[in-house]
Amino acid sequence: MAPTPAGNRKTRVHVVSDVHGNARDLARAGEGADALICLGDLVLFLDYADHSRGIFPDLFGTESADLIVELRTARRFEEARELGARLWGGIGADRASVIETAVRKQYAEMFAAFPTPTYATYGNVDMPPLWPEYAGPGTTVLDGERVEIGGWTFGFVGGGLRTPMRTPYEISDEEYAAKIEAVGEVDVLCTHIPPEVPELVYDTVARRFERGSRALLDAIRRTRPRYSLFGHVHQPLVRRMRIGATECVNVGHFAGTGKPWALEW
């Protein structure tokens, strides 16, 4: 990690999202930057590119992972839930503790890989109540909050909106909008999910529209931040576009690329 900015030297931050278990590359993601920003989804529950990786195949095997990915990709969510219920039924009443144990193992590795300083918010697959146990002194967790980096104000809003997938940190549109409102006017608006724009929310591989935020889109139009940075959609139709005065950027699927997106000013 580079030293703190001084004088007229430019500030550089690296931004990652959708880390999904990629601790190896995360440990190098801050190299050459003054700070690292993480937009969430540290947990790897199921890798849609490699069905042998993640909590789900560790518990139930790759064949079950193959089937549940097939059902979800075909938007047969009810059948996917029924399959999941049958599999989890074999675990019994210990389901919550089994998941928490697996997530804790991943969080220990992920948070240990964060450089100093890191500014992070939650993704929709994250479990926020566990984060305080793993975030060290060099990691600042923000959700509906602001921080100054190199003279610019950054606002952070974590989580996703409710979907048939029922991932751990999905919240209501109203709660999400309240966090957007709490952030107010900033230079850079950092969120896990994108604004509700078809080109930004459509995943070309999953062949479906993910949920974006209308409140976020309205805030971009109203407050005109320099940048809106987000992730969530792993293979978007469009990775970057302008909305009025704001440059909107999907910073990329870090689990797949291992490369952060860089912002310098």
Side-chain angles (χ1 to χ4, degrees):
M1 191 69 78
T4 302
N8 294 322
R9 189 175 67 80
K10 286 186 175 182
T11 299
R12 180 183 177 93
V13 298
H14 289 175
V15 190
V16 300
S17 186
D18 300 271
V19 177
H20 294 302
N22 189 352
R24 181 192 61 188
D25 291 321
L26 184 62
R28 299 192 295 264
E31 292 177 357
D34 298 293
L36 178 71
I37 289 173
C38 178
L39 304 182
D41 272 9
L42 299 181
V43 173
L44 178 61
F45 191 74
L46 175 57
D47 189 333
Y48 276 57
D50 180 354
H51 303 168
S52 68
R53 298 182 64 245
I55 295 171
F56 188 92
D58 285 349
L59 291 173
F60 305 118
T62 303
E63 288 186 7
S64 294
D66 290 340
L67 181 54
I68 206 161
V69 168
E70 179 184 339
L71 292 172
R72 286 178 175 176
T73 302
R75 303 186 63 81
R76 293 157 61 185
F77 294 118
E78 191 59 40
E79 292 175 67
R81 279 194 291 272
E82 290 173 0
L83 172 61
R86 290 197 301 274
L87 293 171
W88 285 107
I91 300 285
D94 291 334
R95 172 177 176 171
S97 63
V98 167
I99 293 175
E100 182 174 320
T101 298
V103 170
R104 284 182 177 278
K105 181 179 179 182
Q106 291 189 8
Y107 276 165
E109 189 176 14
M110 295 298 105
F111 279 91
F114 277 145
T116 297
T118 291
Y119 302 92
T121 196
Y122 316 110
N124 60 293
V125 303
D126 285 312
M127 299 175 68
L130 300 183
W131 280 37
E133 297 183 42
Y134 296 95
T139 299
T140 303
V141 180
L142 304 116
D143 190 15
E145 300 164 284
R146 301 147 55 105
V147 69
E148 184 176 307
I149 306 172
W152 280 16
T153 302
F154 288 69
F156 291 78
V157 174
L161 299 175
R162 288 175 181 155
T163 71
M165 304 289 279
R166 299 180 183 176
T167 50
Y169 193 41
E170 293 180 354
I171 60 178
S172 70
D173 289 61
E174 292 76 18
E175 185 179 353
Y176 194 89
K179 292 195 293 185
I180 292 287
E181 186 67 24
V183 164
E185 295 187 14
V186 294
D187 293 294
V188 184
L189 189 48
C190 299
T191 59
H192 178 67
I193 63 174
E196 183 57 60
V197 176
E199 295 90 337
L200 297 176
V201 300
Y202 185 73
D203 191 304
T204 60
V205 174
R207 295 181 308 221
R208 65 170 178 256
F209 290 97
E210 303 289 355
R211 283 215 66 190
S213 170
R214 180 71 194 193
L216 173 57
L217 177 59
D218 291 343
I220 290 169
R221 289 171 171 163
R222 184 178 69 254
T223 65
R224 297 163 61 87
R226 299 172 191 260
Y227 289 90
S228 167
L229 306 181
F230 47 86
H232 186 56
V233 183
H234 294 178
Q235 298 91 12
L237 187 63
V238 173
R239 293 194 176 275
R240 188 167 184 156
M241 68 185 298
R242 291 195 71 84
I243 298 176
T246 303
E247 190 74 14
C248 299
V249 183
N250 184 318
V251 300
H253 179 219
F254 187 77
T257 68
K259 296 178 181 179
W261 184 81
L263 175 62
E264 191 172 80
W265 67 97

